[in-house]
Amino acid sequence: MDRPFSAARIALGCLLGVAIAGLAQAQKTWIVDRLGAGDFRTVTAAVTAASQGDTILVLAGAYPEIVSTTKGLRLIGIGKPTIDGIRVDSLVANSHFVIKGVRCPDQGQGISLTHNQGAVHLEDVSIPAFFIQLGIVPPLNIQDSSLVSVTGCDFAGYTGASISNSTVYIVDSVLRGSDGYVTFMHNSPAQPGLMTSKSTVVLAGTSCTGGQGTQQMMVYNAPAAGIRMYTSEIFVMGDDTTAISAGGVVAGNTFSSPAIYCALGGTLYLDPRVKLSATNTSQTIQGTVAVQATMPTLLATQQTTPVALVKTEVRAPQGWVSALFAGLPGRGQPWLPHGYLWLDPGAPLVLLDVGQLGLSGSRTYNLVIPATVPRGEPVTFQALVMTPTSTLLLSNGVTVVLN
């Protein structure tokens, strides 16, 4: 169903207008062009000059620099520029940092998010094949961060994403661990697509694949699990749009690996519709017993032509009823037993759509974005779903950075 209605559009425009009213005078947009057609030739120079809340547009090209900051900024690529590394550290509470439309090279420093009380939002960020000095640095490293949202990203390398003492939700993304390898000086085992420690992590519409086991110079490496979790709370939501897979093995290798490995305690919530693939074993989960629960999933994508809109899809069993909301990003507050609230309860919420899921187990809604809404702003969508037994469940959140 495609039902963009004007009331919701006006409300969303007012919502964002209120949210940024205090920053409107201070905000500025800077352009970075390595050829000299912008305000700066380097991203670092733009970040140094920018003030809290500013937007930095990085034009296409290669920027061989490590960008570091503590400011809440919008870093948006135009034409998918390549930046060697991005580090966001000690972001203050109630601020946001956006990284959108960029990639990091395989020999770069990846993305590091550490000690952030504010929120960091990643969208359309890719590191397609990551390798650094014996592969000891993950392409996405998150530590001690209160909220990180990842939407439509692709991270491949040592461990696709390493998360410690943080709250993170990952939607419509790909995480891939590196294959094991052996040299005369080093033996590196295969790595998981996702590794977590003392964190709360939500996965929806996302694939996590462990690295492949190898056999070289009479040394054998076992395949890695798709997810390796330590003392964490993980929600694996969705239907067949979510897949967790162990890495493969070379012919004749009998090493095995589960899809999900849990150590040192933790809780795994698993939707039974999720696809799990283990290697050389029927045990798809090791180290814990998953709490089986059917959970609604929300996906969202953007298009800019012929009009700017956000396309959302709620996925759940046929006959369930969903109410779709939009608002400002929250901090992932527990609303038990219904789930986690990813919207900011202290800011206005917009009810976009209410209705029953059809035969396909999905309900779609397309929201046309008014021209008055500033681009580069993060907006979070979440659905409240009611089952046939009148149980209320919250979907995952999806944060999109308006094109």
Side-chain angles (χ1 to χ4, degrees), residues 64-359:
E65 53 186 304
I66 309 299
V67 179
S68 299
T69 186
T70 61
K71 305 173 187 176
L73 305 171
R74 279 74 169 148
L75 183 63
I76 300 176
I78 306 297
K80 212 62 179 289
T82 299
I83 302 173
D84 273 14
I86 301 173
R87 297 174 180 170
V88 182
D89 180 74
S90 302
L91 195 66
V92 298
N94 301 318
S95 61
H96 297 265
F97 193 96
V98 167
I99 306 173
K100 177 170 181 172
V102 302
R103 67 184 301 274
C104 295
D106 55 2
Q107 298 292 332
Q109 293 292 316
I111 295 176
S112 177
L113 312 175
T114 55
H115 308 104
N116 294 301
Q117 296 182 35
V120 182
H121 309 286
L122 280 65
E123 184 178 350
D124 188 25
V125 177
S126 62
I127 304 179
F130 199 68
F131 178 85
I132 297 181
Q133 298 178 359
L134 306 181
I136 60 173
V137 179
L140 176 59
N141 180 40
I142 303 173
Q143 296 182 19
D144 303 310
S145 292
S146 64
L147 176 67
V148 177
S149 71
V150 179
T151 304
C153 295
D154 187 340
F155 296 109
Y158 176 62
T159 298
S162 177
I163 302 172
S164 174
N165 195 32
S166 300
T167 299
V168 182
Y169 61 90
I170 304 173
V171 182
D172 192 23
S173 297
V174 176
L175 305 175
R176 293 169 289 168
S178 61
D179 297 340
Y181 70 92
V182 178
T183 68
F184 287 106
M185 300 294 294
H186 186 70
N187 175 22
S188 178
Q191 298 297 324
L194 171 65
M195 182 182 295
T196 71
S197 174
K198 299 179 181 178
S199 297
T200 296
V201 179
V202 175
L203 300 176
T206 291
S207 68
C208 291
T209 305
Q212 177 174 299
T214 57
Q215 176 183 350
Q216 296 171 297
M217 297 183 292
M218 301 304 294
V219 178
Y220 296 84
N221 277 317
I227 297 175
R228 186 179 299 163
M229 52 183 287
Y230 299 88
T231 324
S232 295
E233 182 181 48
I234 295 186
F235 297 80
V236 184
M237 310 173 70
D239 44 24
D240 58 3
T241 59
T242 302
I244 314 298
S245 306
V249 293
V250 296
N253 191 315
T254 59
F255 280 115
S256 65
S257 177
I260 302 174
Y261 176 74
C262 176
L264 305 179
T267 306
L268 172 66
Y269 298 90
L270 178 68
D271 193 310
R273 301 171 298 165
V274 169
K275 295 191 297 185
L276 299 180
S277 301
T279 298
N280 286 339
T281 178
S282 60
Q283 191 173 4
T284 56
I285 302 171
Q286 290 183 9
T288 188
V289 176
V291 178
Q292 301 280 336
T294 300
M295 296 173 278
T297 303
L298 177 62
L299 304 176
T301 58
Q302 291 191 80
Q303 74 174 42
T304 55
T305 57
V307 295
L309 58 82
V310 177
K311 305 173 71 173
T312 67
E313 180 182 14
V314 179
R315 299 177 68 95
Q318 172 191 350
W320 291 21
V321 177
S322 70
L324 178 65
F325 293 87
L328 300 181
R331 299 175 65 88
Q333 296 180 343
W335 188 38
L336 302 178
H338 312 290
Y340 276 76
L341 181 64
W342 299 104
L343 296 160
D344 182 356
L349 301 180
V350 180
L351 176 61
L352 299 175
D353 177 63
V354 178
Q356 191 173 55
L357 277 70
L359 294 175

